[in-house]
Amino acid sequence: QGAVWLHGRNAVTNAAIAAAEVQAMQGSGAGSAQGVATRIAEDAGLTAVTVHTGGGAETVTVTVAARVPLVIDVDREVVQATASRPREG
């Protein structure tokens, strides 16, 4: 269970970082970042993936949450990570 949860946590962290990098690129829209994050999380076996993008004029922030497929319900099946990057351009 612990290894599966850690795998899920690492996956959403990687998804948030990659999505924030995409979102920070000049001319990139929120849809591109959401697609990248969703693809990474789902490829890792996570379900119910949600991606929220935001930020201001100088930074972008992406939060990714998903469910980890645990065998025993231990109220820890949802993992979440947030990443921020400076806007390029």
Side-chain angles (χ1 to χ4, degrees), residues 2-89:
V4 173
W5 185 88
L6 285 173
H7 170 72
R9 175 75 175 134
N10 287 339
V12 294
T13 299
N14 291 338
I17 291 168
E21 289 174 357
V22 168
Q23 182 74 18
M25 291 189 314
Q26 186 175 5
S28 179
S32 297
Q34 290 172 342
V36 165
T38 300
R39 190 167 41 257
I40 291 170
E42 288 178 348
D43 285 352
L46 305 180
T47 60
V49 179
T50 60
V51 182
H52 297 283
T53 60
E58 307 228 347
T59 62
V60 299
T61 302
V62 178
T63 300
V64 180
R67 296 183 82 71
V68 177
L70 297 177
V71 176
I72 300 170
D73 183 10
V74 291
D75 289 332
R76 288 272 188 202
E77 61 272 346
V78 176
V79 289
Q80 178 176 311
T82 300
S84 296
R85 294 289 183 266
R87 287 195 188 273
E88 294 182 10

